[in-house]
Amino acid sequence: MVTLKDFMAVMDAFAPTNLAEDWDNCGLLVGDETKEIKKILIALEPSMLVIDDAIQNRVDLIVTHHPLMLNKINRITTKSLEGQKIMKLIKNDISLYAAHTNLDKAPLGLNQYLAEFIGLKNIEVLSPIPNEFNKVAGLGRIGDLELGLSLEELGRKIKSVLKLENLQFVGEKNKKVKKVALVTGSGLSELNKAIVEGADVFITGDLKYHNALYAKEMGIAILDATHFGSENIVITLLGNVLKQQFEHIEILLDTKSNNPIKNL
Ligand code: FE2
């Protein structure tokens, strides 16, 4: 029998919760550690769609990248969307576990996975966590493209492998790019780090006008893989890890969610 506690031990070995940012809310958010786990649903978001899907499929545990209760809450009522979600989870005896910034920074976590997914070589951590013994963890990755591509060629490749509907970019389409920095989700806080490290292009999501203008003036290209597009691959990453560790647990991967931001 696998309990929630056993699951948590595996997750903590893969993406230690102590790697998470102070503002984050990772780990077990709803649940009883002694509960037996037979079926898991993995998703990017603990959305109502995902929770309803978990109920329908009689799932014991939902594992997501984004957490609930990121801000302090004082009451759990149906007056708030978050309250509705928490009540629904508890009523249906479904646990919720989130691996967020700890998973971003983990040695084999989401940023490393994206770097490998798009075929970077000589991958290093963009913003290593200061630790003289272990420099492999940290936010973002930087590496080389084996073949020099133009910005447009790289953009089309990213669009295809991440199945993006749309890809906004900053820079000259014909510019040759070799050194690539990336941060999954909203990573523009690391733009200067990418510039200092000599990246030709920075891949992230949630690009804003002023960041775009700054990047253009600083001479670094940006590919906006979107927040959803750069992070939804968390499902296959965690699916692979959990399937390997728990042969007898049924693992469902969310395929119903999509980017809420649409293009005409
Ligand atoms: Fe995110």
Side-chain angles (χ1 to χ4, degrees), residues 203-218:
I203 303 172
T204 190
D206 289 342
L207 179 61
K208 292 197 170 69
Y209 172 79
H210 287 288
N211 300 120
L213 188 61
Y214 178 74
K216 187 177 174 188
E217 292 195 293
M218 291 298 285

Side-chain angles (χ1 to χ4, degrees), residues 5-104:
K5 199 174 178 180
D6 301 326
F7 162 84
M8 286 163 65
V10 165
M11 282 302 294
D12 210 51
F14 186 71
T17 46
N18 63 13
L19 287 177
E21 296 283 338
D22 291 340
W23 52 262
D24 204 359
N25 194 30
C26 298
L28 184 64
L29 303 184
V30 175
D32 170 355
E33 290 185 15
T34 63
K35 190 191 160 185
E36 185 179 4
I37 301 299
K38 290 181 183 158
K39 206 189 258 194
I40 297 177
L41 173 62
I42 305 172
L44 175 59
E45 309 286 348
S47 63
M48 207 55 101
L49 178 101
V50 165
I51 294 170
D52 286 338
D53 197 33
I55 294 168
Q56 214 165 34
N57 285 293
R58 298 178 184 276
V59 159
D60 302 300
L61 165 68
I62 303 175
V63 183
T64 60
H65 184 46
H66 291 142
L68 284 180
M69 299 173 276
L70 206 45
N71 299 310
K72 181 175 171 244
I73 58 169
N74 299 310
R75 60 200 73 218
I76 300 170
T77 74
T78 50
K79 285 205 167 146
S80 73
L81 178 61
E82 200 158 63
Q84 288 169 25
K85 289 178 182 177
I86 296 164
M87 286 183 67
K88 211 173 211 182
L89 287 167
I90 295 170
K91 274 186 188 170
N92 288 282
D93 197 20
I94 295 172
S95 309
L96 176 66
Y97 185 98
H100 191 207
T101 51
N102 55 326
L103 183 60
D104 286 329

Side-chain angles (χ1 to χ4, degrees), residues 102-127:
N102 55 326
L103 183 60
D104 286 329
K105 296 181 194 173
L108 297 177
L110 188 55
N111 282 255
Q112 178 74 23
Y113 187 59
L114 179 61
E116 290 171 12
F117 205 79
I118 64 175
L120 295 189
K121 302 293 169 202
N122 314 318
I123 301 168
E124 287 179 35
V125 178
L126 182 61
S127 297

